[in-house]
Amino acid sequence: MDINQRMQEIAQAKYGQELSQCGDEQIYRVLLQLTQELSQARPAPKKERKLYYFSAEFLIGKLLSNNLLALGIFEEVSQILAKYGRSLSAIEDAEPEPSLGNGGLGRLAACFLDSIAALGLSGDGVGLNYHYGLFEQKLENNKQNERPNPWIEDESWLIPTGIEFEVAFGFGPVKAKLLDIAVPGAHTDIANRLHLFDVEKPAPAPKGGIDFDKTDLPAQLTSFLYPDDSDDAGRLLRVYQQYFMVSAGAQLVLKELEERGFDPHTISDHVAIQINDTHPSMVIPELVRLLTQRGLTMDEAVEQVKRTCAYTNHTILAEALEKWPMSFIEKAAPQLVPIIRELDKRAKAEHSDPKVAIIQGEGAGEIVHMAHLDIHYGYSVNGVAALHTEILKNSELKPFADIYPGKFNNKTNGVTLRRWLEVCNPKLAALLDECVGKEWRTDPSRLNRLMDYYNDTSVLDRMTAIKAENKRALADTLRREAGIEMDPESVFDIQVKRLHEYKRQQMNALYVIRKYLDIKAGKIPERPVTVIFGAKAAPAYVMAKHIIHLILCLRQLIENDPQVRPWLRVVMVENYNVSWAEKLIPACDISEQISLASKEASGTGNMKFMANGAVTLGTRDGANVEIADLVGPDNIYTFGASSNWIIELYDQKARDPKMGYQSGIYYQRPDVKPLVDFLLDPVLTQYGDAADLKALWADLTGKDWFMSLLDVESYISTRDRAIHDYGDKPFWARKMLVNTARCGFFSSDRTIEEYNKDIWHLK
Ligand code: 26V
């Protein structure tokens, strides 16, 4: 097809004018239509066995560049636009970013769909079409406020299908309308689909904040992603959402199975369902129910489901493992209750250990343990990084690993290097083409050949120059969009991820305090550092909001201090999302991955930073362990207590709650106390809310459940060492080079090949 001609035709038909006369937003819509036409013209792969990736989140990000790349017309379109003096990145500004995910789990699902399609495999996503998605973050008066993020426009990536299913809730039936987003595969000619279910009449956006009537069903079913679940109405709504997704999804699976000409008795030969964390776990009893309706006996249905469903665990945090009161399920989906009881009875008959029961408690206190349902009735259980899987097998899920040793397997996460290198860092991608050949784009293991340039000063200099350009571009964007000034010559030290105590943004803030106090005492750092944060806190997560408050107060304090400002800056980007990540990651020097060892299942930001030549400063946690193995100790900065030691400390504490180590550190370590006490200093509290900062101080000195104070000293000294090393340009450039050279393992294409070989067996 002549792309230029088609673009002109669309512009004429839509706007009655030539492309050259169109504004950026109009050109965006022309390209949206073009991309949709090309994607929809692609066939779905015709295969014997098809995967359905069930997930409550798909953090797909903007799709224009991604899809142009997958369709193989990214370069051509960029050149056509250049002829009119336009750039794709400016045009992409017109595209709203869907926020259909919270963080890592949702973004992983999006990377996986990209890789499944690129590998030509038959695999679709199944999820929900949240209208306001995850909230939009506003930073006001040094605090986070939330607003709805309406992202759906009249013309969007959503394709109406006309397909509808009925979902039977306790209060009555609701129609689930299916909308699709095309997922064209790079380097293939197929397209898969992301299936998003929606209600017929969605509720309008709430005015002002994100409060809404959680009992207004069905209208509110697809309003928000995981609405505040700190109260029962919110938690119950979440169960309704989950059942809506899995019931409609299971019906879609069966409809397509029948259309492909297969008998429901043989579903496990033709379908694999991957359950992404426990949010879609009700698909198990729902599928049993639907199969028995279609003539299978209970035994047959259970057997088929057991061979169809596989479960991925994404966290070991006990508070994040879903356990629903039976009364909630009774209310939302009463027809599932007898099936869950039957599944529980069968599991109990075989395994008497109460720790592995699906239903625990009695009477009104009965709860359903969703992960236990998945493990008994799925054929595979996987963790998302080597260390995480070992912890699942040896501690968190040990009783299950003892019963089903063969089910447990590891699938270390990955990221699509198409979005996270080719699209977001085109200059580095072009250099890689020159050095290792364009083949790395289909075979990321080729990136290892970059090691041949370890001593090539011209390549090292070019990598340094590209990093500098990316840093300037980020500084320009921040100046333009947020009025933030930063010194592109300074070290860009970045921590971007959801705000959670276990990720320890508070420990990063303690480092900032250390440097601030040093500078005030006349101890000038070796070189200027810009400490960049991006993080959303769950609206009801009080301590996380206090940490954001601390960061923002520190920022203002330093901005107002001409003595400190030349050496230390704090920047917090507002509303951190996929688009911000694409700008921040290529500009990063030091990647902060500082979770308390054993707590971060994998991390995927760590992999994106690594690919873009940032050097990791991290604990030996999640996939950091594998990054360290791949790059070697000279090309990563690790610090802090080991995961084994941390697990032992938690065990001790469980045995004897008085075993406090944290407050001990505060009182015993003379270097630590002043950092924490600075939270009470009027020098700081003048910029914010003294009570909030005091609450954070009290938590750090009395509880510090995620042990920031345990690691803070080794963190500070290791970070100082990294910043020192940065001064030796060739020395640092080699570290950058090794990181990019070794990132091929973290391509999600590799991860998906492993899922397919070990779990899905798609042919
Ligand atoms: C959920 C919740 C919900 C309630 C309270 C606290 C809490 C804490 C954590 C979570 C996370 C849920 C699952 C999740 O997003 N896991 C992330 O999955 C990524 C992809 O596998 C992985 O890279 C991250 O390490 C992991 O945190």
Side-chain angles (χ1 to χ4, degrees), residues 325-499:
M326 187 64 101
S327 59
F328 283 21
I329 299 178
E330 179 81 59
K331 212 165 176 176
Q335 64 278 25
L336 287 192
V337 173
I339 295 175
I340 294 172
R341 291 199 187 285
E342 174 65 25
L343 296 175
D344 176 59
K345 197 176 86 195
R346 288 173 179 230
K348 280 182 176 143
E350 283 193 33
H351 311 288
S352 56
D353 181 355
K355 287 204 282 294
V356 302
I358 295 169
I359 303 177
Q360 296 176 340
E362 275 165 40
E366 266 186 336
I367 55 144
V368 183
H369 212 301
M370 305 314 279
H372 297 185
L373 188 61
D374 295 317
I375 303 171
H376 286 299
Y377 292 96
Y379 66 94
S380 162
V381 178
N382 77 279
V384 290
L387 175 69
H388 170 59
T389 302
E390 285 311 304
I391 295 174
L392 290 180
K393 287 197 293 194
N394 300 327
S395 31
E396 293 306 307
L397 298 178
K398 183 165 185 338
F400 290 98
D402 291 343
I403 304 176
Y404 306 117
K407 279 190 191 183
F408 283 74
N409 63 95
N410 177 57
K411 295 287 164 282
T412 297
N413 283 165
V415 300
T416 172
L417 296 179
R418 287 172 284 281
R419 181 182 289 264
W420 296 109
L421 187 49
E422 287 186 54
V423 173
C424 76
N425 200 345
K427 295 189 180 102
L428 181 57
L431 177 61
L432 295 173
D433 288 348
E434 264 183 61
C435 293
V436 308
K438 272 185 177 289
E439 292 89 337
W440 70 271
R441 294 172 186 246
T442 43
D443 173 13
S445 69
R446 289 266 307 210
L447 290 170
N448 282 305
R449 297 190 184 194
L450 193 59
M451 291 305 287
D452 296 346
Y453 300 86
Y454 189 74
N455 289 313
D456 185 323
T457 39
S458 107
V459 168
L460 293 170
D461 286 349
R462 284 171 72 191
M463 288 194 83
T464 307
I466 289 168
K467 183 65 79 180
E469 281 179 55
N470 292 340
K471 287 167 74 173
R472 280 196 294 276
L474 174 65
D476 287 346
T477 306
L478 279 164
R479 184 183 312 110
R480 208 176 48 241
E481 289 182 16
I484 295 173
E485 288 295 331
M486 36 201 254
D487 170 8
E489 302 293 316
S490 64
V491 181
F492 281 16
D493 176 310
I494 307 187
Q495 184 174 20
V496 283
K497 49 184 78 248
R498 277 303 283 265
L499 202 310

Side-chain angles (χ1 to χ4, degrees), residues 78-314:
S78 302
Q79 279 161 19
I80 294 169
L81 293 174
K83 273 204 312 223
Y84 303 116
R86 304 300 179 88
S87 82
L88 200 49
S89 69
I91 283 158
E92 223 182 15
D93 284 346
E95 178 177 358
E97 177 175 325
S99 52
L100 304 181
N102 273 289
L105 171 141
R107 184 53 233 175
L108 185 78
C111 284
F112 279 7
L113 291 187
D114 188 83
S115 287
I116 291 165
L119 295 172
L121 299 171
S122 174
D124 289 351
V126 176
L128 291 176
N129 188 41
Y130 310 99
H131 287 246
Y132 315 112
L134 183 67
F135 63 88
E136 184 192 1
Q137 179 192 54
K138 291 279 175 201
L139 300 176
E140 292 155 335
N141 299 322
N142 290 341
K143 294 197 174 179
Q144 165 179 301
N145 290 316
E146 300 92 22
R147 308 245 205 292
N149 173 34
W151 64 277
I152 303 172
E153 300 180 325
D154 289 344
E155 294 169 276
S156 83
W157 296 101
L158 294 165
I159 307 162
T161 66
I163 297 171
E164 289 177 353
F165 299 105
E166 200 170 274
V167 175
F169 287 118
F171 63 80
V174 173
K175 244 187 220 148
K177 224 173 59 176
L178 178 63
L179 300 161
D180 279 357
I181 292 180
V183 186
H187 317 293
T188 68
D189 55 8
I190 60 99
N192 287 322
R193 294 226 155 183
L194 168 56
H195 303 291
L196 298 175
F197 288 102
D198 204 347
V199 293
E200 265 192 307
K201 289 197 200 71
K207 298 225 160 42
I210 55 167
D211 271 343
F212 63 100
D213 179 1
K214 292 167 188 133
T215 61
D216 177 16
L217 298 176
Q220 297 286 7
L221 267 176
T222 51
S223 287
F224 285 94
L225 166 68
Y226 292 176
D228 179 356
D229 61 356
S230 62
D231 59 21
D232 272 2
R235 283 157 48 79
L236 182 59
L237 175 57
R238 196 149 148 174
V239 177
Y240 278 110
Q241 285 189 325
Q242 293 182 350
Y243 186 60
F244 188 65
M245 166 174 78
V246 302
S247 177
Q251 293 179 65
L252 175 68
V253 169
L254 290 172
K255 173 178 144 64
E256 291 192 346
L257 180 73
E258 283 156 18
E259 282 168 3
R260 285 192 284 150
F262 301 122
D263 185 303
H265 283 86
T266 65
I267 181 171
S268 64
D269 294 335
H270 307 294
V271 172
I273 291 178
Q274 192 68 36
I275 299 177
N276 195 31
D277 225 88
T278 54
H279 320 136
S281 298
M282 279 186 283
V283 72
I284 287 176
E286 179 65 0
L287 203 53
V288 169
R289 189 180 77 87
L290 295 174
L291 287 171
T292 53
Q293 275 184 358
R294 282 165 177 71
L296 278 73
T297 64
M298 181 57 84
D299 283 347
E300 287 171 339
V302 170
E303 198 48 38
Q304 283 300 310
V305 168
K306 260 191 188 172
R307 292 178 194 205
T308 301
C309 295
Y311 159 62
T312 305
N313 174 289
H314 293 267

Side-chain angles (χ1 to χ4, degrees), residues 57 102-106 108-109 226 229 238 276-277 279 312-315 317 319-321 384 413 500 502-503 541 599-607 622:
E57 306 188 12
N102 273 289
L105 171 141
L108 185 78
Y226 292 176
D229 61 356
R238 196 149 148 174
N276 195 31
D277 225 88
H279 320 136
T312 305
N313 174 289
H314 293 267
T315 182
L317 289 188
E319 66 268 35
L321 290 179
V384 290
N413 283 165
H500 201 291
Y502 84 80
K503 296 178 188 280
Y541 189 172
K599 295 296 176 192
E600 188 70 273
S602 161
T604 44
N606 47 1
M607 303 167 184

